[in-house]
Amino acid sequence: MAEMVEEERGARQERENSRGDNPPKGICPPMKKSSKVCGTNYPLSIAFIVVNEFCERFSYYGMKAVLTLYFLYFLHWDENTSTSVYHAFSSLCYFTPVLGAYMADSWLGKYKTIIYLSIVYVVGHLIKSVGAIPNLGNQVVHVVLSMTGLTLIALGTGGIKPCVAAFGGDQFEEEHGQERSKFFSVFYLSINAGSLISTFITPVLRGDVECFGGDCYALAFGVPAALMVIALIVFIAGNGMYKKTPPQGNVLLEVWNCIWFALTNRIKNRSRHIPKRNHWLDWASEKYSSQLIAEVKMLTRVLFLFIPLPMFWALFDQQGSRWTVQATKMNADFGGYVLQPDQMQFLNPLLILVFIPVFDFGLYPLIDLCKFNFTPIKKMATGMILAALAFAVAAIVELKIEENVMPVLVPKESYIQVLNLADGDIEVSIQDYEQFRHPIKPFQDPDEYSRLILSSNQQNLRFQIQFQGSSFTFNHIIQEKTVNSLIVYQTEGSLASRLIKDMEQKPTEGMSAVRFINTLELDANITLRNEEFVSINKSYGVSRYSILARGRYNNVKCQVGAEESILHLGLLDFGAAYTVVITNTSVKGFQTSKTEDIAANNVHISWQTPQYLLISAGEVMFSITGLAFSYSQSPASMKSVVQAGWLLTVAFGNAIVLIVAQAAPLEQWVEFILFAALLFIVFVIFSIMGYFYISVDPEELIPKEEKEELSSCKDMIDLVIKNTEVENGCGH
């Protein structure tokens, strides 16, 4: 959840950069007195801003929590495409804050920027929700609406990101710095509350509510859309109470112009006769002040340290993509309560809220007592190691999951199992093969499929079956790249067999699959829980597989002729496929025998907890510490540029995942190991860079007379860096 910090930090930067507003020398700009919350110095307007932020974060994280499964199961994209689009969207959300900051600082001001881009945000949500209605158009329409909606959402959420917290900080008078600090804490809590609640609730709306005959993605996107509408209405409602500062010019643009002028001026003056300068930025001295150049030099040193950082975010943001896909292949039953796979994401904001006080008041003081110099660079490097370990753990979990997946089907290869429906043991042999050496008992559940290597794309195989002292021979044509069951049964005093096709892959979305074999002499009709009607022909007819939600099916109606009976199928588990044989061997009614064609998901979803613990701990050390350190190492007038640089590391990190997913398709556990190894390499590089980095004090750049001037007019907001940085611990 690392993205939740920069709004608060942006506000702090705005207050620290009050001198960037260029008031007349020695004069503090007059501030409009605002209505107060009764009995306090808190402006009433901040209530509207805090509620707005809660609703907006609920809207964003709620939509994003179900996004990967929407791509997989609604748009029917494969895992790599779904992951790529998810991270392309995330990346865009972190490029657009630069645009929002430019609009606010150089054109519209913060208030109008928030209003206009929130309208874009709402329109994006509405289009996204409409695109999730199944019977509205075809696949192309759904894709177009979804991509249009996501683009507008990225523009909206990214554009307002650098404005909202800063706008809230603007509401306080200069003498109320302590109240402003507490406002940022409340603002931070509203972000975490919105994130935590939405990542738990929207997966429930998706998976536990059925609409249009399946998972209700329209509702899962519609509720966040409604929250964003509320966020906009609440923000507009406070209009008459807000203090609105006019645009003051964009520091980021000024820095870029300075750097660009220095580079171009250096290129133009390549002659050996022109004296060299101490630093390449000194080539901007013809146009820019020495003060600005000195500040940009300090800024570039900090931004240089940012170069390795995107790799951390490449791992971190896969919680919503690869880790969610992994969760769909696991057992999510917690003693009767079934957790949706996309709900596991709520662990991150929950753990962040736990880890922040544990680290600040427990771990870090303990390390200090041990006299270990745990510098910010070392904390960030430790965070990288923890994230790499999280992916190593994820790879181990993935390997355990893959132990019971269906084999990959390749040319000239097939798989087969034998179902013995006779009333005695049978022995099966296949010409030129050595499968099935042991006797197969009646209605025995096969342990696993046997692999057959074929001589061509199809092959006629001879099956020899021994039964009660007699030998029977059957010929069946086996197609390549298929999974089959050979049904052996008695008929008219002899033995017969039938080859049927089985499911080739596990049911998706944690669903179950079941089919029926009717051994009776009359057709059978089955009514399942979701009112699905299945008809099965008499005399060993086989139904198609029906896909069902995981659960216990103990009251399934079975109609045979005029007789109706209740079948008890028992538990149909996550990701399993079953064959249910209907027989009539008892006076109690029809009986069933259930075999498992595809094994159920046998790795519990709770095994993802260690990887969430590791990456959340890594986030606290890396994200919170990193931005706090970079802020401390950059000039006051450059805080906004540092924030923009930090956001861009997140954007580039998501771009890395997109590239890997598309350019190098790997087995999932191998990809997890690859990312862990890449981050470890980056850890080494970053540690070397940090070793040679020399900390500086930005205050040394401020002339003495300006320090005296600032001291009379400066904010009282010395928000403890931990608190300000905390927000990035919960969202980048």
Side-chain angles (χ1 to χ4, degrees):
M1 307 299 311
E3 108 184 6
M4 298 185 270
V5 183
E6 57 284 326
E7 290 98 339
E8 174 187 326
R9 193 167 287 104
R12 179 174 181 269
Q13 160 258 309
E14 288 288 333
R15 308 315 306 162
E16 290 177 341
N17 290 343
S18 57
R19 67 188 180 96
D21 294 341
N22 298 320
K25 293 282 184 182
I27 301 176
C28 298
M31 301 294 286
K32 172 186 172 184
K33 297 290 182 181
S34 59
S35 302
K36 299 290 193 295
V37 177
C38 43
T40 71
N41 289 319
Y42 294 96
L44 187 59
S45 56
I46 67 169
F48 296 90
I49 296 171
V50 169
V51 174
N52 165 270
E53 185 66 10
F54 169 83
C55 295
E56 190 275 328
R57 291 292 85 185
F58 186 109
S59 172
Y60 175 75
Y61 283 108
M63 177 277 303
K64 198 176 178 186
V66 301
L67 196 56
T68 296
L69 298 190
Y70 173 77
F71 293 152
L72 281 171
Y73 303 135
F74 188 91
L75 297 182
H76 304 293
W77 290 345
D78 60 38
E79 291 182 11
N80 286 332
T81 302
S82 300
T83 298
S84 297
V85 177
Y86 176 91
H87 288 282
F89 167 71
S90 297
S91 183
L92 186 59
C93 288
Y94 290 100
F95 279 116
T96 51
V98 177
L99 176 62
Y102 175 78
M103 291 174 62
D105 292 344
S106 303
W107 180 23
L108 297 173
K110 287 186 279 290
Y111 176 76
K112 288 184 179 179
T113 300
I114 294 170
I115 293 292
Y116 294 158
L117 290 182
S118 291
I119 293 173
V120 173
Y121 202 162
V122 167
V123 172
H125 265 304
L126 294 176
I127 293 174
K128 186 78 191 69
S129 302
V130 170
I133 299 176
N135 53 10
L136 184 68
N138 56 21
Q139 177 79 356
V140 175
V141 172
H142 293 145
V143 171
V144 170
L145 289 175
S146 297
M147 295 304 101
T148 302
L150 288 176
T151 302
L152 294 176
I153 290 170
L155 179 61
T157 188
I160 68 175
K161 193 179 297 297
C163 303
V164 180
F167 186 69
D170 288 343
Q171 306 308 306
F172 291 85
E173 285 86 14
E174 302 299 329
E175 64 269 20
H176 297 145
Q178 185 177 0
E179 286 81 2
R180 186 189 289 113
S181 295
K182 292 181 179 178
F183 156 71
F184 287 130
S185 296
V186 173
F187 188 84
Y188 158 69
L189 288 174
S190 72
I191 290 172
N192 282 275
S195 168
L196 182 61
I197 295 171
S198 65
T199 50
F200 191 85
I201 289 179
T202 52
V204 174
L205 299 177
R206 173 198 62 79
D208 291 351
V209 178
E210 184 174 319
C211 61
F212 305 105
D215 282 358
C216 202
Y217 288 101
L219 179 63
F221 290 137
V223 169
L227 264 292
M228 191 57 220
V229 172
I230 294 172
L232 179 58
I233 293 173
V234 168
F235 188 74
I236 293 175
N239 180 34
M241 306 177 191
Y242 296 141
K243 294 178 183 176
K244 303 167 189 173
T245 56
Q248 302 294 339
N250 191 282
V251 177
L252 179 62
L253 186 62
E254 185 178 11
V255 170
W256 168 252
N257 288 337
C258 178
I259 293 174
W260 181 253
F261 182 81
L263 291 172
T264 54
N265 194 33
R266 176 67 184 91
I267 293 172
K268 290 176 183 176
N269 296 278
R270 289 174 294 178
S271 173
R272 296 179 180 178
H273 303 292
I274 299 176
K276 291 183 178 181
R277 303 188 185 183
N278 293 330
H279 194 281
W280 62 272
L281 276 168
D282 291 334
W283 290 94
S285 59
E286 285 87 343
K287 186 175 181 180
Y288 295 94
S289 68
S290 58
Q291 173 75 11
L292 177 63
I293 293 173
E295 290 178 344
V296 175
K297 286 179 182 178
M298 185 176 291
L299 174 71
T300 54
R301 294 175 71 251
V302 175
L303 294 182
F304 179 71
L305 279 178
F306 282 6
I307 293 175
L309 304 190
M311 185 52 68
F312 176 88
W313 300 118
L315 277 69
F316 180 86
D317 269 353
Q318 291 188 58
Q319 293 175 79
S321 56
R322 294 301 201 195
W323 285 14
T324 296
V325 172
Q326 184 185 69
T328 64
K329 306 170 186 175
M330 304 177 79
N331 187 317
D333 183 20
F334 286 85
Y337 179 77
V338 176
L339 196 72
Q340 298 296 333
D342 35 358
Q343 273 183 299
M344 283 298 288
Q345 297 173 64
F346 92 97
L347 275 180
N348 179 250
L350 179 64
L351 289 170
I352 290 299
L353 291 175
V354 173
F355 281 157
I356 287 171
V358 169
F359 280 41
D360 285 348
F361 303 113
L363 180 62
Y364 294 155
L366 182 62
I367 292 174
D368 290 340
L369 286 175
C370 296
K371 307 298 182 183
F372 179 72
N373 185 21
F374 203 32
T375 64
I377 295 290
K378 291 177 182 176
K379 289 180 182 177
M380 293 179 68
T382 303
M384 291 181 177
I385 288 295
L386 290 173
L389 288 174
F391 266 66
V393 171
I396 295 171
V397 172
E398 190 69 25
L399 281 171
K400 293 297 293 181
I401 290 172
E402 290 183 3
E403 286 180 0
N404 76 336
V405 300
M406 291 296 289
V408 177
L409 299 173
V410 298
K412 294 186 179 180
E413 201 172 270
S414 184
Y415 290 84
I416 193 169
Q417 67 176 1
V418 176
L419 297 179
N420 178 14
L421 306 185
D423 58 7
D425 293 359
I426 63 172
E427 294 183 13
V428 180
S429 62
I430 308 175
Q431 182 181 7
D432 300 328
Y433 294 90
E434 296 184 357
Q435 276 82 3
F436 314 114
R437 289 189 173 187
H438 302 289
I440 301 172
K441 298 184 178 301
F443 298 92
Q444 177 180 324
D445 192 348
D447 291 332
E448 60 183 17
Y449 284 93
S450 296
R451 186 174 66 162
L452 302 175
I453 306 299
L454 307 179
S455 59
S456 61
N457 60 354
Q458 64 178 27
Q459 186 174 344
N460 189 4
L461 298 182
R462 177 176 297 176
F463 295 81
Q464 187 146 2
I465 302 175
Q466 303 293 328
F467 175 66
Q468 295 180 346
S470 300
S471 181
F472 301 86
T473 301
F474 304 99
N475 291 315
H476 294 287
I477 296 176
I478 304 293
Q479 303 284 342
E480 68 175 358
K481 300 173 68 174
T482 59
V483 182
N484 308 277
S485 286
L486 180 69
I487 303 174
V488 180
Y489 57 93
Q490 291 170 269
T491 177
E492 298 177 354
S494 183
L495 205 64
S497 69
R498 179 178 176 185
L499 190 72
I500 58 176
K501 294 273 179 67
D502 295 355
M503 287 192 75
E504 297 173 354
Q505 295 295 331
K506 275 181 167 289
T508 58
E509 301 182 67
M511 303 290 277
S512 299
V514 62
R515 66 178 174 185
F516 298 90
I517 297 177
N518 180 15
T519 68
L520 308 176
E521 295 180 355
L522 294 173
D523 292 348
N525 296 312
I526 305 291
T527 305
L528 298 170
R529 179 189 292 179
N530 61 354
E531 304 303 321
E532 183 178 356
F533 186 76
V534 179
S535 180
I536 318 143
N537 294 332
K538 62 183 179 180
S539 303
Y540 296 92
V542 182
S543 74
R544 58 179 174 80
Y545 281 100
S546 296
I547 305 299
L548 305 171
R550 183 260 189 190
R552 293 192 175 277
Y553 291 79
N554 290 326
N555 294 291
V556 176
K557 294 180 181 179
C558 177
Q559 183 80 35
V560 179
E563 186 178 357
E564 183 177 288
S565 182
I566 298 297
L567 304 181
H568 301 287
L569 307 184
L571 177 65
L572 304 183
D573 213 349
F574 296 104
Y578 301 93
T579 295
V580 175
V581 183
I582 303 172
T583 61
N584 191 17
T585 59
S586 170
V587 294
K588 295 181 180 179
F590 307 127
Q591 301 298 301
T592 59
S593 174
K594 184 174 68 175
T595 61
E596 192 176 55
D597 302 333
I598 299 178
N601 299 345
N602 61 356
V603 180
H604 198 269
I605 199 170
S606 59
W607 283 106
Q608 280 196 322
T609 304
Q611 62 204 58
Y612 274 98
L613 284 166
L614 286 167
I615 205 160
S616 298
E619 181 189 0
V620 173
M621 286 192 167
F622 176 88
S623 182
I624 298 176
T625 306
L627 200 45
F629 172 73
S630 58
Y631 262 58
S632 71
Q633 294 296 292
S634 58
S637 61
M638 300 294 168
K639 306 298 186 187
S640 60
V641 186
V642 170
Q643 182 179 346
W646 186 266
L647 293 175
L648 288 177
T649 66
V650 183
F652 285 118
N654 280 274
I656 291 171
V657 184
L658 190 158
I659 293 169
V660 171
Q662 288 298 316
L666 301 168
E667 288 187 62
Q668 190 56 68
W669 72 270
V670 176
E671 185 178 286
F672 285 157
I673 293 296
L674 172 64
F675 276 108
L678 289 174
L679 186 56
F680 180 77
I681 294 171
V682 167
F683 153 77
V684 174
I685 296 171
F686 179 74
S687 298
I688 295 172
M689 293 170 63
Y691 179 79
F692 289 102
Y693 182 85
I694 301 174
S695 296
V696 293
D697 183 5
E699 294 295 322
E700 295 175 359
L701 293 179
I702 304 177
K704 181 178 179 182
E705 61 273 13
E706 189 172 348
K707 287 182 183 179
E708 295 172 353
E709 178 185 318
L710 286 174
S711 64
S712 64
C713 198
K714 195 176 181 181
D715 303 27
M716 302 292 296
I717 176 177
D718 227 346
L719 182 58
V720 180
I721 287 263
K722 295 171 191 167
N723 248 353
T724 350
E725 308 335 303
V726 159
E727 187 181 334
N728 216 14
C730 250
H732 37 292

